[in-house]
Amino acid sequence: MKKKTSFVILALALLAGCTTNKLASVSDELRGEISWNAFCDARGYDRNDNTYLTVNEYLDTWCGSVDEENAFSKAGVEPY
């Protein structure tokens, strides 16, 4: 019985690892879209607003921030 339980626990751990790898292997394009959309929603910008000031604020204050990491987590993607 102990061997069977150990095998089940090991199998579940391996499956959980596979799920995590899939989430980590999201393309950079999709990561960028998730990040930009979350930034625009949080700051009240139109998602098509690619003016210098908006992009500059995005790069200076959003990229690498805790808010961006939370947006990735909420979307089911591991942060960088």
Side-chain angles (χ1 to χ4, degrees):
M1 183 69 170
K2 287 183 181 181
K3 286 183 180 181
K4 188 175 184 179
T5 304
S6 297
F7 178 75
V8 170
I9 291 172
L10 178 62
L12 290 174
L14 289 173
L15 289 175
C18 292
T19 303
T20 303
N21 289 339
K22 288 180 183 176
L23 295 175
S25 66
V26 173
S27 70
D28 286 339
E29 184 177 330
L30 182 56
R31 282 181 180 278
E33 187 175 331
I34 291 168
S35 178
W36 177 257
N37 290 340
F39 165 77
C40 290
D41 293 345
R43 305 282 172 91
Y45 290 110
D46 179 49
R47 291 180 177 185
N48 296 318
D49 180 5
N50 61 353
T51 60
Y52 174 80
L53 292 175
T54 305
V55 172
N56 193 44
E57 181 181 344
Y58 168 75
L59 294 173
D60 285 348
T61 65
W62 185 264
C63 292
S65 69
V66 172
D67 292 329
E68 183 186 40
E69 289 183 5
N70 290 337
F72 286 139
S73 295
K74 186 176 180 181
V77 176
E78 283 188 26
Y80 290 106

